[in-house]
């Protein structure tokens, strides 16, 4: 306490003028700390000293109140070598309570001041509230020992911090120079800190994604539902005529500033590209938040044929993890998209979402898609079934395959590969009985296991099938599904395509050559 005694013995009475002057002097921090520590000073003066330490301009890039008040080595006063919180924590209990109470009240007054507003054509004035927010945060989290023991005072401060954050959220979120970031603050406060965010999630918001992330992480059910509905409104606006009018003017001004003169078609593409970017960003935020409004909107959007495949695909990707297994309408609508004539990339995402649902909720509906003449749709449905199946489901699966109409070679090879990955049993044991019995689709699928997993050592296992005259499936719906395999061209080093008409030809020309190229040792290493 030597410095505090020095202030008294000098014969000069310390007052508010001294406090404010010391904020800007070299040794001012030490003197301010001494006033705060010394019991002989009035509580109001000690509080003013603490406030001076808080608002003091950074020195060497550091705010001393949140790092080390007296940075000299050794410090003149050991009690001042830490932060403001350390000093407050070291006060006598009977002095600490009134100082902390008055200090918090003063901080709350500063937090509640309206944020500075920029005048037209002028940059926004500096926001002087950040040091007070940092001080409030530091006092709130101090727990060794706790500084805020009055629960009412603590809740009042928490409320003031939330109000401060919502008052100018986007600028305060990204402002530099804060000792403690906005997200750090909100996480400490918890769910109540983000209750106000849905109201800020508008078409004019610049930080939608950050807001969505915070709501998803911290928000309660009601807040998440509100954020979900807000995001849907933003997405609708992006597709509206109003959006087009606003962005058209902005794009024209931007092009003029850059001295660009796009053609009408080029300008149309500019607008569409901007709309894509904004919409996809909103979909990313929707993916974080989820909830019923988002699910309803994305399912409806993904079914719209007037939207591009990129947008529809992204909408379905944003549904990841949000469909409800106990909602029959969700299941029905996603299956309708999967069974539609949508582009392949859209169908792929639809089946990915179906694959997230329980097997018993979707398997029969997926099997119903096996009856389609669109073999690529059936392949997507079938691989989805296999991903959620085990070895005991092999017979059920093979029994659902079509007899032979429009069953593609690519299907047989794909299903055979997926079956080799089935758990809870040995796939080959379950498949063997279908080598010689069942529909052409079932037989070729079972045999196709060897196309992916068989080696040169397994060729003898198929020797009896190389002369099998049973019919192979047919598929003439498009060139990609024909039953043809590459074989050596007679009398030439080149290869040619051989049409496959029988099971034996499938084994001889498609499966066995692949097996011969795969050595047992290499296959074991690959499996490992």
């Amino acid at each position: 306490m030597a410095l505090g005694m020095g202030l008294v013995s000098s014969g000069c009475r310390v007052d508010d003028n001294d406090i404010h002057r010391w904020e800007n002097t070299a040794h001012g921090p030490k003197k301010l700390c001494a006033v705060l520590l010394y019991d002989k000073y009035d509580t109001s003066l000690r509080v003013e000293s603490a406030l001076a330490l808080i608002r003091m301009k950074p020195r060497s890039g550091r705010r001393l109140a949140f790092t080390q008040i007296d940075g000299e080595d050794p410090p003149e006063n050991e009690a001042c070598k830490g932060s403001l919180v350390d000093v407050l924590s070291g006060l006598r209990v009977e002095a600490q309570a009134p100082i902390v109470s008055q200090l918090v009240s003063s901080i709350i007054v500063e937090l509640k001041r309206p944020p500075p507003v920029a005048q037209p054509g002028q940059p926004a004035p500096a926001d002087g509230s950040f040091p007070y927010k940092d001080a409030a945060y530091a006092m709130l989290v101090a727990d060794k020992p706790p500084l805020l023991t009055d629960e009412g005072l603590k809740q009042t401060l928490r409320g003031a911090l939330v109000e401060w954050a919502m008052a100018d959220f986007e600028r305060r979120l990204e402002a530099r120079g804060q000792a403690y970031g906005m997200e750090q603050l909100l996480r400490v406060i918890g769910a109540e800190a983000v209750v106000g965010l849905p109201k800020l999630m508008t078409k004019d918001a610049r930080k939608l994604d950050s807001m969505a992330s915070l709501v998803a992480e911290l928000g309660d059910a009601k807040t998440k539902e509100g954020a979900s509905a807000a995001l849907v409104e933003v997405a609708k606006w992006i597709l509206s005529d109003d959006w087009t009018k606003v962005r058209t003017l902005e794009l024209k001004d931007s092009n003029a500033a850059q001295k660009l003169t796009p053609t009408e078609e080029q300008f149309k593409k500019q607008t569409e590209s901007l709309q894509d970017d904004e919409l996809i960003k909103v979909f990313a935020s929707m993916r974080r938040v989820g909830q019923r409004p988002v699910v309803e909107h994305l399912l409806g959007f993904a079914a719209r044929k007037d939207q591009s495949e990129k947008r529809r695909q992204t909408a379905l990707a944003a549904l990841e993890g949000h469909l409800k297994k106990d909602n029959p309408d969700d299941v029905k609508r996603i299956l309708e998209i999967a069974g539609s004539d949508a582009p392949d990339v859209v169908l792929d995402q639809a089946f990915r979402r179906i694959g997230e649902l329980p097997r018993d909720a979707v398997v029969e509906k997926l099997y119903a898609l096996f009856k389609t003449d669109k073999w690529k749709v059936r392949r997507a449905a079938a691989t989805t079934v296999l991903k959620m199946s085990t070895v005991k489901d092999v017979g059920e699966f093979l029994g659902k395959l079509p007899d032979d109409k429009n069953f593609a070679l690519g299907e047989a090879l794909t299903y055979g590969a997926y079956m080799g990955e089935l758990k809870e049993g040995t796939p080959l044991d379950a498949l063997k009985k279908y080598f010689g019995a069942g529909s052409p689709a079932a037989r070729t699928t079972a045999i196709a296991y060897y196309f992916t997993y068989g080696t040169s050592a397994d060729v003898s296992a198929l020797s009896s099938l190389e002369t099998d005259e049973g019919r192979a499936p047919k598929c003439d719906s498009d060139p990609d599904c024909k039953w043809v395999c590459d074989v050596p061209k007679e009398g030439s080093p080149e290869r040619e395509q051989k049409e496959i008409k029988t099971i034996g030809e499938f084994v001889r020309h498609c499966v066995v050559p692949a097996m011969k190229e795969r050595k047992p040792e290499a296959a074991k290493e690959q499996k490992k």
Side-chain angles (χ1 to χ4, degrees), residues 147-185:
L147 271 182
L148 299 178
T149 55
D150 183 324
E151 194 59 34
L153 185 65
K154 185 176 182 179
Q155 289 304 319
T156 302
L157 182 59
R158 287 165 64 95
L161 282 167
V162 172
E163 185 179 332
W164 174 87
M166 295 302 111
D168 196 5
F169 180 83
E170 291 185 323
R171 281 198 294 179
R172 286 174 170 172
L173 176 70
E174 61 188 4
R176 297 181 178 181
Q178 302 180 64
Y180 310 101
M182 171 87 82
E183 294 186 13
Q184 188 177 0
L185 167 67

Side-chain angles (χ1 to χ4, degrees), residues 124-290:
D127 189 339
S129 66
F130 291 113
Y132 298 101
K133 179 270 296 181
D134 289 335
Y137 175 89
M139 295 174 72
L140 198 63
V141 301
D143 59 357
K144 295 179 181 180
L147 271 182
L148 299 178
T149 55
D150 183 324
E151 194 59 34
L153 185 65
K154 185 176 182 179
Q155 289 304 319
T156 302
L157 182 59
R158 287 165 64 95
L161 282 167
V162 172
E163 185 179 332
W164 174 87
M166 295 302 111
D168 196 5
F169 180 83
E170 291 185 323
R171 281 198 294 179
R172 286 174 170 172
L173 176 70
E174 61 188 4
R176 297 181 178 181
Q178 302 180 64
Y180 310 101
M182 171 87 82
E183 294 186 13
Q184 188 177 0
L185 167 67
L186 298 182
R187 288 190 179 97
V188 164
I189 296 175
E192 65 185 280
V194 296
V195 168
L197 281 182
K199 292 181 181 179
L200 304 180
M201 297 171 73
T202 67
K203 61 183 179 63
D204 299 316
R206 294 179 293 104
K207 296 290 182 179
L208 265 183
D209 194 54
S210 296
M211 295 179 190
S213 295
L214 286 166
V215 169
E217 178 185 348
L218 304 174
D220 56 22
K222 185 177 179 181
T223 302
K224 290 178 180 177
E225 192 81 2
S228 180
L231 288 170
V232 168
E233 291 306 310
V234 174
K236 289 179 179 178
W237 181 75
I238 293 172
L239 293 172
S240 71
D241 291 339
D242 286 343
W243 180 93
T244 303
K245 292 176 184 176
V246 171
R247 293 296 185 258
T248 294
L249 292 175
E250 292 176 350
L251 273 176
K252 286 182 177 179
D253 289 343
S254 175
N255 286 335
Q258 299 177 65
K259 297 182 180 180
L260 299 176
T261 55
T263 64
E264 184 176 341
E265 184 62 27
Q266 289 171 333
F267 187 81
K268 181 181 178 182
K269 289 182 178 179
Q270 273 187 314
T271 306
E272 289 176 351
S273 177
L274 180 60
Q275 193 174 48
D276 279 346
D277 289 345
E278 291 194 22
L279 193 61
I280 288 171
K281 286 178 182 177
V282 174
F283 285 167
S285 295
M286 288 181 167
R287 185 174 192 162
R288 288 179 169 82
V289 175

